[in-house]
C-alpha cells in the first residue's frame, strides 16, 4: 500500500491559451481530503495529515465501498439549498470534535464528498499513470451514492467551463494536464487553479482588542503571508465574524500569544496583541493596494487543514507590489 499520503497541489494562474492537452474541473469550496481504506479500517486525511474520519461519520459508508488498499483524493463539502458548496456552512462541521457531534448537527449540516482522483486501487499504485487514465479508472469504479459523487471533468473549451463556473457561482476552475502523473506534496504547474473569487489563505499574526459589542472578544485579525521566507504583513480583517467564531478565535489565539511582532516585511502595523504565526484563516477581498495590503477583506473561516509555513504571498499581491 502507498505510504506518501500528501495531496498534489495546484499553482495559481490563468486559463491555458490552448486547450490542447488540458482538462478542466470545477474548483470546489471545501476541505481537501484523501480517503483510504486499508485492512485496519478507514482514514480521512486532511492536507496536514490529520485523520478526521470520526468527525464525518456520513462518509464512512463511502469509504467502505472502496476495495482494500485504495486511496481516493477529493473534497469534503457542505452544500447550500441550491446545491452549491458553502465553506461557511462547512465551518460548522470542520471544527467540531467527534465527541461533540450530535444528531441535530448531522441533520442540519450534512457533508458530501466529491472524489476527483484515484491514487491507488485494490493495491495497485496509479500515481505514475497520466491523469486521463486515472480519471477513466475513477469513473469506472462506480462511486456515486447518496452523499458522494464523481464531479464532472471536461476535456475541451476551458473558457466555457470557466463561464459555467461563474454562472453557477462556484469558486473557479482547475486546469490539469491530461498527461500529468500524480506528484504527492508537489505544487505543480501541471495543475493550474483559476479563481473567480479573490480569496486566499493568510496567517494570523495578531489581533486588536474589540470595543462596544465586541469588547470581550476581538476587533480585527492581523494577517500575513510568507514572502521569500519572511513574514509580510498584508493588513487586517474585521468583518465576516459571528459570535461563535469570535469566541473560538480568541480562545485559539490567547494560548499562542507572543510579546513581539513576528512580521519582518510590510507597512506599519497597528497596536496589537501579537501571536505566534500558527493559525491559518481564509479571507475574501476586493483587491490589493500598493502596500501591498488587502482591500475590503472579509473573514471566511479558519483553516485547520492548512500549515502556516505553506502560506505564501498570493501571486496577485506580489504583482501589485512589483508594479
Amino acid at each position: 500500500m502507498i505510504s506518501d499520503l500528501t495531496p498534489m497541489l495546484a499553482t495559481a494562474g490563468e486559463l491555458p491559451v490552448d486547450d490542447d492537452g488540458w482538462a478542466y474541473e470545477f474548483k470546489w469550496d471545501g476541505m481537501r481530503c484523501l480517503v483510504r481504506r486499508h485492512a485496519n479500517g478507514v482514514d480521512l486525511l486532511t492536507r496536514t495529515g490529520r485523520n478526521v474520519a470520526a468527525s464525518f461519520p456520513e462518509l464512512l459508508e463511502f469509504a467502505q465501498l472502496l476495495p482494500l488498499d485504495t486511496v481516493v483524493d477529493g473534497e469534503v463539502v457542505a452544500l447550500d439549498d441550491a446545491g452549491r458548496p458553502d465553506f461557511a456552512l462547512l465551518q460548522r462541521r470542520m471544527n467540531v470534535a467527534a465527541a461533540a457531534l450530535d444528531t441535530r448537527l448531522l441533520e442540519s449540516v450534512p457533508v458530501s464528498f466529491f472524489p476527483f482522483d484515484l491514487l491507488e486501487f485494490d493495491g495497485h499504485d496509479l500515481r505514475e499513470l497520466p491523469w486521463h487514465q486515472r480519471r477513466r479508472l475513477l469513473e469506472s469504479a462506480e462511486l456515486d451514492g447518496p452523499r458522494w459523487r464523481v464531479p464532472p471533468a471536461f476535456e475541451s473549451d476551458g473558457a466555457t467551463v470557466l463561464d459555467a463556473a461563474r454562472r453557477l457561482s462556484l469558486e473557479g476552475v482547475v486546469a490539469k494536464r491530461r498527461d500529468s502523473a500524480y506528484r504527492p506534496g508537489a505544487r505543480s504547474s501541471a495543475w493550474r487553479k483559476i479563481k473567480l473569487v479573490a480569496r486566499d489563505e493568510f496567517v494570523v499574526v495578531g489581533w486588536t482588542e474589540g470595543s462596544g459589542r465586541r469588547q470581550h472578544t476581538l476587533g480585527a485579525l492581523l494577517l500575513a503571508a510568507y514572502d521569500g521566507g519572511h513574514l509580510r504583513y498584508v493588513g487586517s480583517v474585521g468583518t465576516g465574524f459571528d459570535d461563535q467564531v469570535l469566541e473560538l478565535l480568541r480562545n485559539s489565539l490567547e494560548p499562542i500569544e507572543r510579546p513581539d511582532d513576528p512580521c519582518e516585511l510590510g507597512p506599519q502595523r497597528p497596536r496589537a496583541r501579537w501571536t505566534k504565526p500558527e493559525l491559518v484563516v481564509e479571507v475574501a477581498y476586493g483587491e490589493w493596494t500598493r502596500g501591498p495590503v488587502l482591500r475590503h477583506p472579509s473573514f471566511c473561516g479558519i483553516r485547520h487543514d492548512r500549515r502556516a509555513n505553506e502560506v505564501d504571498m498570493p501571486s496577485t499581491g506580489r504583482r501589485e507590489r512589483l508594479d
Side-chain angles (χ1 to χ4, degrees):
M1 188 167 191
I2 63 176
S3 58
D4 190 347
L5 292 172
T6 50
M8 181 171 170
L9 305 175
T11 59
E14 306 295 331
L15 275 176
V17 176
D18 187 342
D19 286 323
D20 187 38
W22 291 90
Y24 303 93
E25 300 172 354
F26 292 128
K27 192 174 188 306
W28 305 109
D29 195 8
M31 182 177 72
R32 187 79 173 274
C33 202
L34 297 180
V35 179
R36 173 176 64 173
R37 187 181 180 205
H38 51 93
N40 296 321
V42 167
D43 300 325
L44 272 67
L45 302 172
T46 68
R47 272 181 53 178
T48 58
R50 189 163 58 104
N51 191 352
V52 294
S55 296
F56 299 107
E58 59 265 64
L59 299 184
L60 296 182
E61 184 181 348
F62 164 77
Q64 294 295 339
L65 293 175
L66 303 174
L68 287 177
D69 296 336
T70 294
V71 180
V72 177
D73 190 358
E75 199 89 1
V76 177
V77 298
L79 303 177
D80 64 16
D81 293 338
R84 292 184 297 257
D86 184 335
F87 184 71
L89 195 59
L90 181 63
Q91 280 279 294
R92 295 173 57 188
R93 290 289 303 275
M94 283 179 65
N95 304 313
V96 178
L101 286 173
D102 58 35
T103 303
R104 287 176 300 175
L105 182 59
L106 290 171
E107 291 178 349
S108 62
V109 190
V111 299
S112 299
F113 185 66
F114 291 170
F116 54 70
D117 213 324
L118 193 57
L119 282 61
E120 182 179 27
F121 191 77
D122 197 19
H124 298 283
D125 188 347
L126 309 177
R127 293 173 297 177
E128 289 297 326
L129 293 179
W131 173 88
H132 69 91
Q133 289 188 27
R134 300 197 309 275
R135 177 74 195 191
R136 297 292 177 267
L137 290 169
L138 177 66
E139 292 172 348
S140 67
E142 299 182 351
L143 297 179
D144 288 357
R147 303 220 64 83
W148 48 87
R149 61 180 172 84
V150 176
F154 310 90
E155 298 192 13
S156 64
D157 206 354
T160 298
V161 179
L162 187 63
D163 185 59
R166 183 180 292 106
R167 288 186 284 105
L168 293 169
S169 299
L170 298 178
E171 190 180 0
V173 163
V174 180
K176 297 181 177 180
R177 292 288 311 178
R178 296 182 69 252
D179 60 0
S180 60
Y182 192 98
R183 301 301 182 206
R187 188 174 293 280
S188 171
S189 59
W191 287 13
R192 188 184 300 179
K193 57 185 177 183
I194 302 97
K195 293 185 178 182
L196 291 170
V197 178
R199 214 162 99 171
D200 282 299
E201 291 139 18
F202 298 95
V203 183
V204 179
V205 293
W207 83 92
T208 61
E209 295 283 0
S211 61
R213 190 179 66 83
R214 289 199 199 171
Q215 62 179 330
H216 300 299
T217 54
L218 55 84
L221 299 176
L222 274 64
L223 307 173
Y226 283 96
D227 189 356
H230 303 284
L231 268 178
R232 174 177 289 276
Y233 173 70
V234 297
S236 63
V237 58
T239 62
F241 310 107
D242 60 27
D243 291 340
Q244 183 178 0
V245 168
L246 285 168
E247 183 178 0
L248 176 63
L249 284 166
R250 180 117 187 192
N251 291 339
S252 300
L253 293 171
E254 284 185 337
I256 58 172
E257 261 195 276
R258 57 180 278 169
D260 57 333
D261 178 358
C263 295
E264 299 177 70
L265 305 173
Q268 184 175 356
R269 273 76 85 182
R271 180 188 296 272
R273 294 177 62 174
W274 304 106
T275 70
K276 298 175 184 176
E278 297 179 2
L279 187 68
V280 178
V281 296
E282 188 162 323
V283 174
Y285 54 94
E287 58 183 353
W288 290 88
T289 69
R290 286 188 173 274
V293 171
L294 298 172
R295 184 174 174 82
H296 304 311
S298 179
F299 176 85
C300 297
I302 302 171
R303 299 300 312 226
H304 288 300
D305 57 331
R306 300 288 195 268
R307 291 188 177 92
N309 60 8
E310 297 176 339
V311 179
D312 290 326
M313 191 74 182
S315 58
T316 47
R318 284 200 190 97
R319 285 200 298 267
E320 185 70 32
R321 177 166 54 87
L322 294 172
D323 283 348

